[in-house]
Amino acid sequence: MSVLVYAAAVVLLIGLYLSWTANRLDRLHTRRDAAWAALDAQLVRRASVSLDLAASRLLDPAASILLDDAAHTARDAAADSRDLAETNLTRVLRDVFDDPKESLALKERPGGGALLVELDSACRRVQLSRHFYNDAVRVTWVLRRQRLVRWFRLAGHAPFPDQFEMDDEEPVGLRGMATG
């Protein structure tokens, strides 16, 4: 009789552990979804500010056209090509704002300061949001790779999350615009 009690206790403990792990995995997936929503919002914000800057007539026509095209492409990109479109926007921003002296001169023009501060802020927020998103994905990966999670299929049919890899290095000419 005592063997059955011990066996039942072990089964109960294993069940509790599996239930706790499944709940933790669900919370991690929710965290990843929230992090993706935040990253998506910051990417859209950066593209919108880039479009505003391209339309402001503060930049030379060639830079405006390049920035407008890259921002539209990034904003309208499909999910499977979003990383490439966002990387392209980052590269165009770096090309347009590669000289801090030109950026400071642009900041002095009417309306230029506010747009550059907003763009600098948006670029930094994209970096932070992408970091938080990729961190949430990494933690989810670690738990989903555990044997018990795989054996008991605790993740259900949730797709395996992918990290969002893109070039998000802030343009040299924008660094510190929001702070100074």
Side-chain angles (χ1 to χ4, degrees), residues 59-67:
L59 302 173
D60 65 85
S64 291
I65 290 171
L66 286 173
L67 189 57

Side-chain angles (χ1 to χ4, degrees), residues 1-154:
M1 177 83 166
S2 65
V3 172
L4 287 175
V5 171
Y6 288 128
V10 167
V11 168
L12 179 66
L13 287 175
I14 290 172
L16 287 173
Y17 176 75
L18 291 175
S19 175
W20 177 80
T21 303
N23 283 331
R24 181 170 175 238
L25 188 58
D26 185 53
R27 285 191 312 271
L28 288 174
H29 278 277
T30 301
R31 177 181 164 206
R32 188 215 63 94
D33 291 343
W36 173 253
L39 174 59
D40 182 55
Q42 295 308 319
L43 291 170
V44 168
R45 179 176 177 236
R46 182 179 75 152
S48 295
V49 174
S50 297
L51 286 170
D52 290 345
L53 190 58
S56 70
R57 298 182 184 244
L58 293 171
L59 302 173
D60 65 85
S64 291
I65 290 171
L66 286 173
L67 189 57
D68 183 72
D69 182 53
H72 272 293
T73 302
R75 193 178 63 180
D76 299 334
D80 61 341
S81 62
R82 179 99 183 256
D83 54 346
L84 297 175
E86 294 294 344
T87 294
N88 184 51
L89 177 57
T90 300
R91 290 180 180 154
V92 168
L93 285 169
R94 275 203 314 261
D95 288 344
V96 171
F97 298 105
D98 64 342
D99 185 6
K101 291 179 184 177
E102 288 180 20
S103 297
L104 285 175
L106 185 62
K107 186 177 181 180
E108 299 302 320
R109 295 179 65 186
L115 283 172
L116 290 180
V117 166
E118 193 172 349
L119 185 59
D120 176 37
S121 174
C123 289
R124 285 189 287 120
R125 287 174 185 244
V126 163
Q127 289 175 327
L128 288 171
S129 296
R130 192 175 76 83
H131 172 76
F132 288 133
Y133 173 77
N134 285 342
D135 185 55
V137 168
R138 185 188 51 77
V139 171
T140 304
W141 280 357
V142 168
L143 186 58
R144 284 191 66 164
R145 287 188 175 138
Q146 289 182 0
R147 279 192 188 117
L148 287 178
V149 172
R150 289 192 324 258
W151 289 347
F152 289 97
R153 299 177 193 252
L154 297 181

